[in-house]
Amino acid sequence: MRPDQLLYPTPEGLFCPIGGFYIDPVRPVERALVTHGHSDHARSGHGHVLATRQTLDIMRIRYGDNFAGSEQAVAFGEEVTVNGVKVSFHPAGHVLGSAQIAVEKDGLRIVVSGDYKRRPDPTCAAYVPVPCDVFITEATFGLPVFHHPDPMAETRKLLASLRQFPERTHLVGAYALGKAQRVIRLLRDAGYDKPIYIHGALESLCDYYISQGIALGELKPATIESRDQSIFQGAVVVGPPSTFQDRWARRFHDPLPAFASGWMMVRQRAKQLGVELPLVISDHCDWPELTETISDLKPSEVWVTHGREEALVRWCELQGIAAKPLHLIGYEDEGD
């Protein structure tokens, strides 16, 4: 069997014609396998969704109880047969519940990475390499220029700024799912034990992380209508980046805007967003991690998707590995 008979790209997303399912479809379909809960991968309205228990819970938190017609939870490493096709989910290290999906038929195995990273992160299960014939990898940061620094070193920059500007409220932009909880946990692991204030958009997801055994320390709502504004002087406030452009952010005392994202390596982007303290903390692989993963797996073929595809395809070709870009559309950088 050729790989493209088992899995191929369509406008809806990657499709397995034999199994009759899509992986991370960008529009409603009858049967969807979902790698993780970010909204560019996990959409509502599917007839049936197969995902990890945590991803299904996160979809319910974000979309409500009727996010799909029906659902089925699968554990990491558990094998499920869908219309004669074996599928299994394996930790991706991206966010809580995130998984790579292995699709296997007649001795051919294709692994879809979803979004993944290889660096340690106590807020989710660590990436596990899955041997395969074809590896479909994301390439969000698929350019040689992207070498992400140690996230703890970036966290120490935030702590240093708090010491340098003890009167300013430090507003940390972090995406609601995964990045916000990781930033909070990094601060805790760095020894910061004061209350951390969070935007209301983060509360339900932070509560869910805590229910899953992820320690985040004392969190308080960052509402100021009923509070003395002075309590936010020198405090850390975490919220979605979009909220830092509206009135909510301007209410805080002399706010110092920070943003936790792999894209903060691009100085011009930080400047355009008005970020004073860029924190290069990414939940995706950088260039060395992408190439290391491919070298470790030694697949016969690599398909590259949603990101900087051409550079990684070229690198594979120079290593003697057949590779091609998939040019899938509809996947953004919600969890960068």
Side-chain angles (χ1 to χ4, degrees):
M1 178 184 296
R2 298 194 317 270
D4 60 5
Q5 292 177 303
L6 183 57
L7 208 58
Y8 62 83
T10 72
E12 290 79 14
L14 286 169
F15 180 56
C16 176
I18 303 171
F21 60 80
Y22 293 83
I23 296 177
D24 290 350
V26 298
R27 60 189 70 167
V29 299
E30 181 54 35
R31 185 179 293 272
L33 277 59
V34 176
T35 60
H36 66 283
H38 280 142
S39 59
D40 55 335
H41 292 256
R43 318 263 176 158
S44 62
H46 302 308
H48 180 76
V49 173
L50 181 66
T52 65
R53 177 77 268 160
Q54 291 169 332
T55 292
L56 292 171
D57 289 346
I58 288 166
M59 291 179 72
R60 180 170 287 101
I61 290 168
R62 304 191 100 180
Y63 299 127
D65 288 337
N66 299 318
F67 68 89
S70 62
E71 63 184 73
Q72 180 181 350
V74 58
F76 286 135
E78 179 184 356
E79 190 174 274
V80 177
T81 300
V82 182
N83 296 329
V85 177
K86 296 177 183 177
V87 299
S88 55
F89 287 61
H90 307 268
H94 179 55
V95 297
L96 189 64
S98 62
Q100 308 165 79
I101 299 178
V103 180
E104 189 169 357
K105 175 74 172 177
D106 295 341
L108 173 67
R109 178 189 281 176
I110 301 176
V111 169
V112 181
S113 74
D115 290 340
Y116 69 110
K117 70 173 179 294
R118 300 191 58 162
R119 297 191 182 212
D121 177 358
T123 67
C124 63
Y127 165 86
V128 173
V130 182
C132 55
D133 302 291
V134 178
F135 185 52
I136 302 180
T137 179
E138 64 132 316
T140 302
F141 292 102
L143 290 174
V145 68
F146 289 114
H147 287 241
H148 296 147
D150 175 13
M152 186 54 72
E154 296 298 289
T155 305
R156 286 193 286 268
K157 290 181 183 178
L158 175 56
L159 296 177
S161 182
L162 287 164
R163 291 192 296 270
Q164 185 177 2
F165 303 106
E167 74 289 350
R168 300 184 68 182
T169 304
H170 284 59
L171 300 181
V172 182
Y175 290 104
L177 170 58
K179 184 61 64 63
Q181 296 78 22
R182 188 180 180 205
V183 167
I184 292 168
R185 181 56 185 263
L186 280 165
L187 282 165
R188 299 310 190 196
D189 290 347
Y192 186 82
D193 58 3
K194 297 179 181 179
I196 294 175
Y197 296 88
I198 58 174
H199 186 276
L202 306 185
E203 288 185 18
S204 59
L205 285 168
C206 285
D207 287 345
Y208 181 69
Y209 267 64
I210 293 167
S211 78
Q212 297 299 296
I214 310 299
L216 300 178
E218 184 180 6
L219 304 179
K220 291 186 176 182
T223 53
I224 65 174
E225 286 80 7
S226 59
R227 290 178 179 271
D228 176 3
Q229 290 192 30
S230 66
I231 69 171
F232 294 106
Q233 292 185 15
V236 174
V237 177
V238 181
S242 59
T243 63
F244 289 6
Q245 305 301 320
D246 60 24
R247 289 191 312 167
W248 178 83
R250 292 194 292 272
R251 296 173 183 174
F252 293 102
H253 179 78
D254 193 15
L256 190 156
F259 188 7
S261 167
W263 293 113
M264 290 300 95
M265 279 197 68
V266 183
R267 292 181 181 179
Q268 188 60 30
R269 184 173 290 209
K271 185 176 180 181
Q272 288 171 348
L273 294 172
V275 174
E276 283 189 48
L277 182 62
L279 303 171
V280 185
I281 300 173
S282 176
D283 285 332
H284 294 265
C285 288
D286 62 6
W287 178 261
E289 289 175 284
L290 290 169
T291 56
E292 176 188 2
T293 300
I294 295 169
S295 296
D296 288 349
L297 293 176
K298 298 179 174 62
S300 300
E301 198 169 335
V302 173
W303 299 353
V304 185
T305 183
H306 58 280
R308 282 69 199 159
E309 299 175 341
E310 302 296 342
L312 193 57
V313 167
R314 179 58 178 157
W315 180 89
C316 289
E317 292 171 344
L318 291 172
Q319 309 307 309
I321 302 170
K324 66 179 181 181
L326 293 185
H327 302 304
L328 292 176
I329 60 173
Y331 299 96
E332 308 302 330
D333 300 317
E334 186 196 353
D336 65 0

